[in-house]
Amino acid sequence: MIKITVEKFAKMYVENNPGEKFNEIKSNLKTALSRKKAGAVCGDCGQPIWAAGSAIVGFDGCFTCITGESDHSEDYEVSE
């Protein structure tokens, strides 16, 4: 995964999804990142959550369960 700050990811996400609100996305990302750091796991398979994806879809899931893909080498994950 490619590490990206919450701020940069939120900005990029809102630019690509104009109907979304920057502050709401940023808050969701921070909350998901906190849950990940606290040990949250995917509700389907038990793997650590993908904070960026979980913030967008609204539930704790890992990359594979959210996207259906296994290669996450070119996808983003938020960090501080």
Side-chain angles (χ1 to χ4, degrees), residues 48-60:
I49 67 167
W50 174 35
S54 295
I56 302 304
V57 299
F59 66 87
D60 287 345

Side-chain angles (χ1 to χ4, degrees), residues 5-59:
T5 66
V6 166
E7 187 86 17
K8 286 181 182 178
F9 185 89
K11 182 178 179 183
M12 181 179 63
Y13 184 79
V14 170
E15 286 174 359
N16 291 313
N17 299 277
E20 299 290 340
K21 295 182 171 108
F22 175 79
N23 287 334
E24 185 176 319
I25 296 299
K26 185 176 170 183
S27 175
N28 291 347
L29 288 164
K30 285 183 175 185
T31 300
L33 183 57
S34 292
R35 286 195 313 272
K36 180 176 182 170
K37 288 180 177 182
V41 295
C42 176
D44 290 334
C45 72
Q47 292 296 308
I49 67 167
W50 174 35
S54 295
I56 302 304
V57 299
F59 66 87

